[in-house]
Amino acid sequence: MSAHHQSAGRGDPPAQDAKDQQLARFRAAPEHDALTTDQGVRVDDTDNALRAGTRGPTLLEDFHNREKLTHFDHERIPERVVHARGAGAYGYFEAYEPLTEYTCADFLAEAGRRTPVFVRFSTVQGPRGSADTVRDVRGFATKFYTREGNYDLVGNNMPVFFIQDAIKFPDFVHAVKMEPDNEMPTGGTAHDTFWDFASLQPETTHMLMWAMSDRAIPRSFRMMQGFGVHTFRFVTADGRGTFVKFHWKPKLGVHSQVWDEAQITAGRDPDYHRRDLWEAIESGEYPEWELGVQLVPEEDEFSFDFDLLDATKIIPEEQVPVRPIGRLVLDRNPQNFFAETEQVAFHTANVVPGIDFTNDPLLQGRNFSYLDTQLIRLGGPNFSQLPVNRPLADVNHNHRDGFGQQVIHPGTNYFPNSLGGGCPAHAGAGGGAGVFRHYAQRVDGEKIRVRSDSFQDHYSQAALFWNSMADWERRHIVEAFRFELGKVGSTQVRERMVGNLANVNAQLAEMVADGVGVAAPQPVSGVSTASSPALSQENLLGEGIRTRKVAVLAADGTDAGQVTAVRERLTAQGAIVEVLAAKDGSVRGSDGGGLDVDRALPTMASVLYDAVLVPDGKEAVAALAADPAAVRFVEEAYRHGKPIAVLGEGTRLLTEAKLPEEVVLGESAPDFGVLTGNGTTAPGDLADALATALGRHRFPRRPGLLN
Ligand code: HDD
């Protein structure tokens, strides 16, 4: 490959028709684009190894064959020990206003300043090839290529963590990953070792509430919140500190799948989230988040009933509001998964002037761990030279050599020096802006291996979370605990875990105990009754229905006019409408014209859509009613709480799917997101009603749901 290909990386335009361009280049100048060895020698044939006679042995002399196989044999690198499964994209961060009152961070210093970013989303437990829609925490890691160096905000889609001290991380990860003897399960936490650990480690309780909630089964990466988790510190140019927590809020709202749906999706499309992100960006629907901060003056450090340094705690938004400070837009897919998404190396200690750490013991441990992990994963100390990791800011130091060194460093390699003109010089000497100076925090204490008493309350905020949930969110949490603990073989572990839950809520503990066949624990007195409405997804719907997917079930005889009318109305609001029929190609509309089929029904499933529409047309509906895949499609959409719209004859499919008749055909049907239009209903009106229903995402109070 020629040099201009190899240098492709960050900042290059997307590869639209890269293959065509490459071919054209080859035709124009074969000497530049022909296949070569690593040494640049052009190769005549890469399909046949050199052999002695056409049927004879392969020869060791074939350097091209040996080089090709050797390179292939070394293609894999160790996958991430956690967060191995992920998807990434480029974009930019744009600041809303100067934040100089709180931080001297250059990328936050001016309204409208844009900073390029790379974001990688991930699951935690599963290996690289595991399914996207497992019940798990999602990683949300952002690398800001600021003018003053790279800043990494390595967060999750949940604002707290399982443990308080990083020294517990290897234990936690050993317990959560696949079990050591049989390497099961692949993705997810529903197994003995995880719950054994969790039940013995009560500090996990708050995070467990989040992990058993719908937050752990997002509809899309684009519809997740993100959190920096720890309390960090903003620092001004004159050295003043302010505590800060970071929040990403998705423009599209926070939405989830239901558990049954997530499990089916894992089979129907294991790449569901990866594909969703990729396709949204390819189609110009750039996902967007707002970055918000909770700011706490240093003098208020001890004014909370929890410790700001404890990563198992949130600051409720009602207590300290989240102030929006900028937006993140992802507008470019990577060109090469390995080079970019796999090789990106995040590190909590990648900070820039104006952002500093606190003594959160989880954060302090992370500040060691990420650099260490990159050394083994990326094979040496020069990984920051990889295109995706390279800062935009100038890099100047005396680090030298090592595996994979890309830079030809001239001159001296030590400091102080006179022979190299004293360069690179200490930036501090000039005293200028844009230099990282550690926050001057006074520290005094004994060397002790002891957790602070202020870290001991493990249940109040777990209760806060539970108390803040809507009825259906609580139902989902109970079902999730029942599922997970139901997969645990050890009765002792089940009992111990249920016992912990009694500290959160007696009803929760009772319902879980009932589901997993253990005795309900004794109620605990003094359980917190506080709540925080900002935690419920019912209050995080977002606006609009952009990129929501609507399936139209069609067959020969479908009322094509209706489809066109509905499609127009919905796509005008940004929804995606796809016509599904038994076979690809087109179907005959009821007016005799053709209706293009977007997807063959057998290749799709209701779990891959947000709503379903069955248009009118006697012949078509009869065919659909006789097709088990179509009937199942409607039934599943119903059981997963999705909006369903039927016009005229389409109603028959509701009956065929054996949905609760009193609901779907009763007056309350629209309240449950089942919309039926008769002969006089204008398709546009039905489309509007469907759009409103889609805006509510799901109808979790509908009878007959699968959780
Ligand atoms: Fe971590 C990866 C997030 C605690 C050690 N972590 C990793 C990634 C995310 C997080 C998003 C994937 C980055 C990527 O996409 O490449 N981790 C968190 C959050 C935590 C957290 C939000 C708690 C607040 N992590 C944590 C602790 C330790 C680690 C306490 C170790 C002491 N994390 C790692 C790691 C990983 C990692 C082993 C695996 C691969 C990598 O770093 O690059 O170093």
Side-chain angles (χ1 to χ4, degrees), residues 52-74:
T54 54
R55 300 182 60 253
T58 301
L59 300 179
L60 199 58
E61 186 184 318
D62 186 351
F63 53 85
H64 168 57
N65 185 24
R66 277 188 290 121
E67 181 188 84
K68 185 176 177 181
L69 292 181
T70 303
H71 197 279
F72 169 77
D73 293 342
H74 293 253

Side-chain angles (χ1 to χ4, degrees), residues 274-354:
R274 184 180 278 191
R275 191 184 312 284
D276 169 277
L277 180 67
W278 179 274
E279 286 181 351
I281 293 173
E282 287 300 293
S283 69
E285 288 284 350
Y286 302 137
E288 193 169 328
W289 288 260
E290 201 157 55
L291 181 64
V293 288
Q294 286 178 298
L295 298 171
V296 177
E298 292 211 324
E299 53 274 25
D300 292 348
E301 177 169 3
F302 301 108
S303 62
F304 300 92
D305 55 8
F306 53 87
D307 198 319
L308 283 180
L309 303 185
D310 174 358
T312 66
K313 303 295 185 295
I314 59 163
I315 309 178
E317 288 186 34
E318 293 76 11
Q319 235 166 312
V320 178
V322 176
R323 168 175 167 175
I325 62 166
R327 66 189 188 112
L328 165 73
V329 177
L330 298 182
D331 60 2
R332 183 157 65 88
N333 279 316
Q335 297 184 55
N336 183 289
F337 188 93
F338 179 83
E340 297 160 286
T341 309
E342 193 58 17
Q343 291 198 116
V344 67
F346 292 97
H347 185 11
T348 48
N350 287 350
V351 287
V352 287

Side-chain angles (χ1 to χ4, degrees), residues 429-492:
V435 179
F436 191 92
R437 291 183 186 82
H438 287 274
Y439 178 73
Q441 188 189 359
R442 193 178 164 71
V443 178
D444 190 14
E446 276 107 38
K447 244 187 253 173
I448 41 171
R449 235 183 239 288
V450 179
R451 192 103 35 110
S452 166
D453 283 344
S454 56
F455 278 47
Q456 296 306 327
D457 172 8
H458 304 314
Y459 300 118
S460 297
Q461 288 211 348
L464 177 84
F465 186 77
W466 171 261
N467 298 338
S468 312
M469 294 292 104
D471 52 352
W472 56 272
E473 290 178 300
R474 289 184 188 174
R475 197 179 69 229
H476 288 178
I477 291 171
V478 170
E479 291 302 328
F481 272 113
R482 284 178 166 192
F483 179 93
E484 298 260 324
L485 291 176
K487 297 274 189 186
V488 169
S490 160
T491 310
Q492 199 196 353

Side-chain angles (χ1 to χ4, degrees), residues 98-116:
L99 267 196
T100 35
E101 191 186 335
Y102 300 103
T103 172
C104 59
D106 175 73
F107 75 107
L108 299 173
E110 193 189 351
R113 177 163 298 166
R114 283 191 176 186
T115 300

Side-chain angles (χ1 to χ4, degrees), residues 80-83 120 122 139-141 154-156 161 163 166 169 227-230 311 344 346 362 365-366 369-370 373-374 377:
R80 290 168 176 81
V81 57
V82 281
H83 297 267
R120 183 173 178 274
S122 47
F140 189 141
V154 197
N156 281 339
F161 200 65
I163 47 169
F169 194 68
F227 302 91
V229 181
H230 310 282
V344 67
F346 292 97
L362 195 71
R366 293 180 76 192
S369 193
Y370 288 74
T373 213
Q374 313 309 352
R377 204 167 67 78

Side-chain angles (χ1 to χ4, degrees), residues 123 126 130-138 186-188 216-218 259 262 266 273:
T123 55
S130 55
D132 279 346
T133 60
V134 295
R135 175 176 294 284
D136 201 352
V137 182
R138 298 299 184 288
T186 305
I217 40 173
W259 180 227
H273 288 150

